[in-house]
Amino acid sequence: MKAVIFEQFGQTPRVQTVEDPSPAVTGVVIEVEATGLCRSDWHGWMGHDADIVLPHVPGHELAGTVQAVGKHVTQWKIGKRVTVPFVGGCGHCFECNSGNHQVCENQFQPGFTAWGSFAEYVAVDFADTNLVALPDSLDFATAASLGCRFVTSFRAIVDQAKVKPGEWVAVHGCGGVGLSAIMIATAMGANVVAIDLTEEKLAFARELGAVATVNGRETQDVIGAVREVTKGGAHVSIDALGHPSTCFNSIANLRRRGRHVQVGLMLGDHAHPPIPMDKVIAHELEIYGSHGMQAFRYKALMDMLETGKLQPQKLIGKEITLDDAPAALMAMDRFEGIGINVITQF
Ligand SMILES: [Zn+2]
Ligand SMILES: [Zn+2]
């Protein structure tokens, strides 16, 4: 098969022909029909993820067709259209048994713990626990765009912050994660204030439902601006970028008893950011993480797609080819353009 491979961290990945994968006894091989590009792939390529063993094939936001099935898989057959969450649970550890596959102790992450989906085929383990069937109405590119940013935002807004209608939700950073969070929080009946450095992204945020925006480049005091818009502070605030300053602002702009959810990754030099812990105790703030979403929770998400309440296809930027992927991957830290780039030609 053709695959995008890097031999060293930070060195130009290349499209090469490698051996086709075969399924683990509890896994499947999926013929990849679409796979999204994500800043996590860039982090992986830079060497920020300890799980990656070289040489490596990135890619974790995928959708496709089951092409081979391991002998202990009972729920899936060749030809099924499927996607997977980017964190797959093993299905039998303590966390999986408690329904929390997204923090599984033996988690399988395509593109991190194993070769990923920037390839014609990808092997995915623990298939019975993690595969999600696609409704016929859902195209592969949209399905691929769900796997990481959209489901992580869904879990952040719906399952972690438990956003209620009428609450103010601040979303810091309007990349793929932030735009997903804006769309989902709006669908839940919240009022969203979006924060970003570029007017173009803020305009798109308003199109997706944000009722107010703050331009962090033009505003000296982002925290004060959010507190003013929300009349005293946001009930819920999301750091959708993953940067020490957005993380700090997201916690500091909460009202009393507010909830912060960290969705943007904090890696490398940013792993341990300073936060206003004085406010956390004095105002009884709550701090959450969001790390993917269990496959069984896709049901709620799929229902909101089918009824048109959520329209993740609006977040798709460019469709590109596998040959375009190395250059696009290396450019992922520059935050250019709007929406998610998806590889749809292999
Ligand atoms: Zn597990
Ligand atoms: Zn991702």
Side-chain angles (χ1 to χ4, degrees):
M1 66 170 183
K2 274 169 74 184
V4 173
I5 292 199
F6 56 86
E7 316 263 350
Q8 296 295 329
F9 294 118
Q11 287 188 4
T12 305
R14 292 185 200 293
V15 178
Q16 292 181 18
T17 300
V18 296
E19 209 175 313
D20 289 352
S22 50
V25 289
T26 53
V28 293
V29 169
I30 296 170
E31 181 172 4
V32 183
E33 306 277 1
T35 184
L37 271 81
C38 176
R39 198 157 166 251
S40 313
D41 296 314
W42 179 86
H43 278 299
W45 169 64
M46 288 295 288
H48 297 162
D49 192 306
D51 288 333
I52 292 177
V53 178
L54 295 170
H56 186 67
V57 176
H60 58 280
E61 306 184 355
L62 66 113
T65 310
V66 175
Q67 189 254 353
V69 179
K71 65 178 182 204
H72 294 161
V73 174
T74 60
Q75 315 278 327
W76 300 94
K77 294 208 160 51
I78 291 170
K80 265 294 210 185
R81 299 169 78 246
V82 294
T83 188
V84 287
F86 81 93
V87 178
C90 69
H92 47 70
C93 72
F94 177 85
E95 298 299 342
C96 285
N97 285 333
S98 73
N100 289 296
H101 306 90
Q102 78 285 356
V103 290
C104 169
E105 295 160 32
N106 316 303
Q107 56 192 251
F108 176 88
Q109 294 188 33
F112 299 99
T113 65
W115 279 15
S117 53
F118 286 11
E120 290 177 283
Y121 300 100
V122 61
V124 171
D125 205 355
F126 312 133
D128 281 337
T129 305
N130 300 300
L131 260 53
V132 176
L134 300 182
D136 291 339
S137 57
L138 190 60
D139 64 277
F140 285 119
T142 305
S145 77
L146 300 177
C148 169
R149 289 161 278 197
F150 206 83
V151 298
T152 303
S153 293
F154 191 87
R155 179 166 168 75
I157 296 285
V158 178
D159 288 349
Q160 294 292 75
K162 296 187 169 65
V163 166
K164 294 191 269 297
E167 286 191 321
W168 278 102
V169 175
V171 176
H172 294 262
C174 296
V177 170
L179 294 170
S180 305
I182 291 163
M183 185 184 286
I184 295 159
T186 300
M188 298 299 289
N191 295 311
V192 175
V193 49
I195 302 99
D196 200 275
L197 299 177
T198 68
E199 198 45 51
E200 190 192 15
K201 289 187 178 169
L202 292 175
F204 194 40
R206 286 191 290 271
E207 247 175 70
L208 295 177
V211 295
T213 50
V214 172
N215 187 321
R217 210 185 293 284
E218 289 166 6
T219 313
Q220 286 292 321
D221 178 13
V222 169
I223 297 164
V226 173
R227 296 182 78 86
E228 195 182 315
V229 169
T230 57
K231 301 180 184 70
H235 298 85
V236 170
S237 191
I238 310 272
D239 174 13
L241 176 62
H243 186 276
S245 62
T246 45
C247 174
F248 187 96
N249 289 348
S250 177
I251 297 169
N253 69 200
L254 288 169
R255 70 178 58 203
R256 288 163 196 254
R257 306 256 313 145
R259 294 98 78 196
H260 161 82
V261 192
Q262 187 65 39
V263 183
L265 292 179
M266 292 295 221
L267 297 171
D269 296 345
H270 293 163
H272 303 125
I275 64 165
M277 194 56 90
D278 54 338
K279 285 251 169 55
V280 172
I281 185 153
H283 294 171
E284 289 196 348
L285 307 180
E286 295 178 59
I287 311 277
Y288 295 92
S290 181
H291 188 244
M293 188 172 81
Q294 312 93 315
F296 67 81
R297 283 291 289 147
Y298 273 66
K299 175 79 177 76
L301 173 61
M302 294 296 189
D303 287 350
M304 290 179 82
L305 299 189
E306 287 204 30
T307 57
K309 277 205 139 185
L310 293 175
Q311 299 176 314
Q313 65 275 17
K314 285 187 177 171
L315 303 179
I316 294 178
K318 276 192 294 195
E319 296 195 14
I320 65 171
T321 69
L322 194 68
D323 289 327
D324 298 331
L329 172 68
M330 291 188 288
M332 274 311 289
D333 66 323
R334 297 207 294 267
F335 304 107
E336 283 166 354
I338 283 183
I340 297 166
N341 290 336
V342 183
I343 303 166
T344 51
Q345 274 185 57
F346 294 84

